[in-house]
Amino acid sequence: MPFVPLQMDKEQVNHWENHSTVDEFILLGYQEYPALLFIAFLATYITILLGNGLIVLVTTLDPALRTPMYFFLRSLSGLEMCYTSVTLPKMMANLVSGDHSISLPACAMQMFCMLFLGGTECFLLAAMAYDRYLAICLPLRYMIIMSPRVRVGMVVISFAISFPIQLLQIGLIFSLPFCGSNEIDHFFCDIPQVLKLACADLYANEVAVYTENIFFVVVPFVLIVASYVHIARAILQMPSGTGRQKTFSTCSSHLTVVSLFYGSAMLVYLCPQTSDFARFSKFLSLLYTIIIPLCNPLIYTLRNREVKAAFGRLLGKKLSLEGNTRIN
């Protein structure tokens, strides 16, 4: 027997039973200029994979970059490639086929992967802030505290915390009955838009969503702020202006990513979902799902001499091997 919300009268029950066969959603996030959007999304996706893939490659192969900071950067780049792959391929497939539908199971899987990887990234960014705190405030103990076992454990814990909570969240959302309209005014399956289509009392779900957002967005953000308060104090106590500038430059890339990621995520998930704001949040969500993964390689390489030098060494080694091959 299908679940019927308790607060429905007989007429509402009959209406729900007549409209309870929703087995797919229609994504309305993109309707115009499909060819242009497909080219833009394809170019963006390729650039994200190449840029973040190169960071993973160079930080893995170059011995000079086998430090805790670059271990976390490598983990972040790998996460960004997975994060983007949850949405962009489906968006491009819909543009090519002209079919903007997504089945309920596919929607649930897409939402779970988005929440799981997004929650993991929140705690990973907090781990990166803690790494910078140790490197600047406790430099003599840095390599002892941030041992290979500790840094791997921090990444594993970031994944382990997010997985069961997000799985429970998806179970709560997709156990709801969906009836009436099946149109989602978004580029992908996101919590606020999907919950609008549910035919049930959403109070418990809204409390669960808000509590989860506090845990995954606010708590890591507070930890990051606390780390940078200590870092700022340490930098201000440095006697040399050059030393202060050099030390701050090691944190500037991370601060930029944190500002973009948390700023957009807080606006989308913690602000009241009015009709006018919902239209704006649809495009704001592209910032943390596409734009930030696209910009990450540039943010972490343009002002990082070690990464640029490692790219040069990797390219020089490749050219040298190709030259030896031609000679032989």
Side-chain angles (χ1 to χ4, degrees), residues 8 22 57 59 82-83 109 128 130 140 150 170 172 213 226 238 245 248 275 280 285 318:
M8 289 186 177
V22 173
L57 182 65
T59 55
C82 296
Y83 191 58
M109 180 58 69
M128 295 175 74
Y130 179 66
L140 298 179
V150 170
I170 293 300
L172 290 173
N213 290 338
M238 292 180 179
Q245 183 177 1
F248 178 76
S275 57
F280 172 68
S285 65
K318 182 179 179 181

Side-chain angles (χ1 to χ4, degrees), residues 64-240:
L65 301 184
R66 292 173 187 170
T67 63
M69 182 176 75
Y70 294 109
F71 170 80
F72 288 117
L73 177 57
R74 178 165 64 249
S75 302
L76 178 65
S77 294
L79 187 67
E80 296 285 32
M81 289 191 288
C82 296
Y83 191 58
T84 309
S85 298
V86 174
T87 55
L88 272 177
K90 177 61 178 175
M91 291 163 66
M92 290 187 291
N94 288 353
L95 288 169
V96 170
S97 64
D99 179 10
H100 295 174
S101 65
I102 182 170
S103 67
L104 256 69
C107 183
M109 180 58 69
Q110 184 184 67
M111 187 185 295
F112 168 72
C113 292
M114 286 282 296
L115 295 175
F116 168 53
L117 296 172
T120 302
E121 182 163 349
C122 288
F123 280 99
L124 183 58
L125 289 172
M128 295 175 74
Y130 179 66
D131 171 75
R132 291 297 81 210
Y133 159 73
L134 291 177
I136 294 171
C137 299
L138 301 171
L140 298 179
R141 299 174 57 193
Y142 172 53
M143 293 304 296
I144 297 174
I145 297 175
M146 196 59 71
S147 64
R149 183 177 179 179
V150 170
R151 69 187 80 151
V152 171
M154 293 177 73
V155 173
V156 171
I157 289 173
S158 298
F159 280 93
I161 291 174
S162 184
F163 185 86
I165 296 176
Q166 306 299 1
L167 192 62
L168 177 61
Q169 182 75 273
I170 293 300
L172 290 173
I173 293 173
F174 284 89
S175 64
L176 295 170
F178 295 97
C179 57
S181 174
N182 67 338
E183 295 181 344
I184 299 175
D185 188 18
H186 210 289
F187 296 96
F188 50 86
C189 289
D190 206 2
I191 291 179
Q193 288 72 26
V194 171
L195 283 180
K196 288 179 183 178
L197 306 181
C199 300
D201 182 4
L202 300 178
Y203 178 76
N205 293 86
E206 290 172 349
V207 170
V209 170
Y210 193 76
T211 303
E212 181 203 345
N213 290 338
I214 293 294
F215 180 71
F216 281 101
V217 178
V218 177
V219 171
F221 183 72
V222 169
L223 295 175
I224 291 171
V225 171
S227 296
Y228 275 105
V229 167
H230 290 288
I231 289 172
R233 289 176 180 173
I235 290 176
L236 291 175
Q237 291 174 359
M238 292 180 179
S240 169

